[in-house]
């Protein structure tokens, strides 16, 4: 059984791997955590590069299966542990919306955030994965604004973990505009016990990183 496989999670705080950490707590499964200190170059050690050649977190090793990329890991885990109900079945028509908004974060929103922070504006926005900020924002406000209470409706899914973590990051770091639509959605996330538990466990590492 897939759920019998040993699960190891490579994590660093603060980083994108916090999204996977939250996901693991939503699933309520057992896992081992290997903390990497990225400032000490632990992501560049040969043992780690053997499983993630980019030397980035997160990575999971599940039995013999290695998965990298935060959204791919969350997608994989939701399918591996269907009893948690975090992903619609493959033959459910809503699976299209599920995959679409799940991968909207890394494929479309994150590149927009990075360009925004770097104040980069392409002359020809047809080559941007997100077209341009002015086009992306109403789409994002519409998707999040229609969350009732979650993006796919009544059921909380992996979309809310991945998209939710991205929206949260964008608001906290002032990349996204202040808007009640985002604030209400983030408040729902903050109220989730799994989110709170992951944050609580990350807190000492976060404090150490901030202390330098
Ligand atoms: N595409 C990867 C990006 C992961 C990533 O950029 N991780 C950063 C932390 S947020 C990292 O490991 N940085 C360390 C480094 O580049 O040395 C994903 O979505 O998981």
């Amino acid at each position: 059984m897939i759920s019998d496989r040993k699960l190891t999670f490579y994590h660093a705080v603060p980083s994108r791997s916090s999204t996977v950490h939250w996901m693991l707590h939503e699933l309520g499964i057992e896992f081992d955590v290997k903390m990497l200190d990225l400032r000490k170059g632990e992501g560049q050690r040969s043992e780690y590069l053997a499983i993630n050649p980019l030397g980035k977190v997160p990575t999971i090793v599940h039995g013999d299966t290695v998965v990298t990329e935060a959204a791919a890991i969350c997608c994989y885990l939701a399918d591996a542990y269907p009893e948690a109900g975090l992903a619609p079945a493959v033959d459910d028509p809503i699976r299209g919306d599920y995959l679409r908004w799940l991968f909207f974060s890394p494929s479309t929103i994150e590149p927009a955030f990075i360009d925004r922070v770097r104040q980069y504006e392409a002359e020809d926005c047809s080559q941007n994965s997100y077209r341009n900020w002015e086009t992306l924002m109403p789409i994002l406000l519409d998707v999040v604004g229609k969350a009732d209470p979650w993006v796919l409706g009544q059921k909380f899914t992996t979309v809310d973990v991945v998209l939710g973590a991205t929206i949260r990051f964008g608001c906290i770091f002032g990349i996204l505009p202040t808007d009640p639509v985002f604030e209400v959605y983030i408040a729902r996330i903050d109220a989730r016990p799994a989110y709170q538990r992951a944050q609580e466990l990350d807190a000492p590492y976060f404090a150490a990183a901030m202390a330098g």
Side-chain angles (χ1 to χ4, degrees):
M1 263 176 52
I2 197 165
S3 52
D4 292 340
R5 295 183 195 168
K6 181 177 155 53
L7 179 58
T8 305
F9 166 47
Y10 292 83
H11 184 29
V13 179
S15 88
R16 281 176 176 86
S17 63
S18 291
T19 305
V20 172
H21 194 204
W22 171 23
M23 176 72 187
L24 288 162
H25 285 281
E26 289 288 349
L27 291 167
I29 56 176
E30 283 190 16
F31 59 94
D32 288 342
V33 187
K34 288 216 191 306
M35 293 301 298
L36 298 184
D37 190 333
L38 299 175
R39 289 166 310 165
K40 289 189 182 151
E42 290 178 2
Q44 296 301 317
R45 289 189 181 157
S46 54
E47 318 87 83
Y48 189 63
L49 291 173
I51 56 167
N52 187 336
L54 273 181
K56 289 191 172 272
V57 290
T59 298
I60 61 160
V61 181
H62 191 216
D64 294 330
T65 303
V66 175
V67 194
T68 67
E69 302 300 316
I73 294 170
C74 291
C75 187
Y76 169 91
L77 288 170
D79 289 343
Y81 297 91
E83 59 283 0
L86 294 181
V90 172
D91 60 356
D92 187 328
I94 209 167
R95 182 87 179 177
D97 275 347
Y98 170 76
L99 291 172
R100 173 185 181 196
W101 298 120
L102 176 54
F103 290 98
F104 201 66
S105 276
S107 308
T108 305
I109 307 172
E110 285 189 22
F113 279 7
I114 289 163
D115 282 357
R116 187 83 177 167
V117 169
R118 293 185 177 156
Q119 299 182 315
Y120 171 76
E121 252 178 78
E123 272 176 33
D124 175 6
C125 65
S126 70
Q127 288 174 359
N128 283 348
S129 65
Y130 59 94
R131 188 165 294 285
N132 56 39
W133 191 257
E134 292 66 36
T135 310
L136 176 64
M137 271 318 103
I139 296 171
L140 216 46
L141 281 164
D142 186 55
V143 175
V144 177
K146 282 181 182 154
D148 184 23
W150 305 112
V151 170
L152 297 188
Q154 284 299 298
K155 260 181 92 54
F156 178 88
T157 68
T158 312
V159 170
D160 298 296
V161 176
V162 176
L163 185 70
T166 307
I167 298 289
R168 201 172 193 292
F169 176 90
C171 288
I172 282 171
F173 289 95
I175 306 169
L176 284 172
T178 306
D179 193 294
V181 161
F182 294 138
E183 286 169 357
V184 166
Y185 183 60
I186 290 172
R188 284 182 205 134
I189 288 171
D190 288 350
R192 293 192 71 81
Y195 181 78
Q196 291 170 5
R197 182 67 185 137
Q199 289 278 302
E200 189 181 295
L201 292 168
D202 282 351
Y205 297 97
F206 188 80
M210 292 305 115

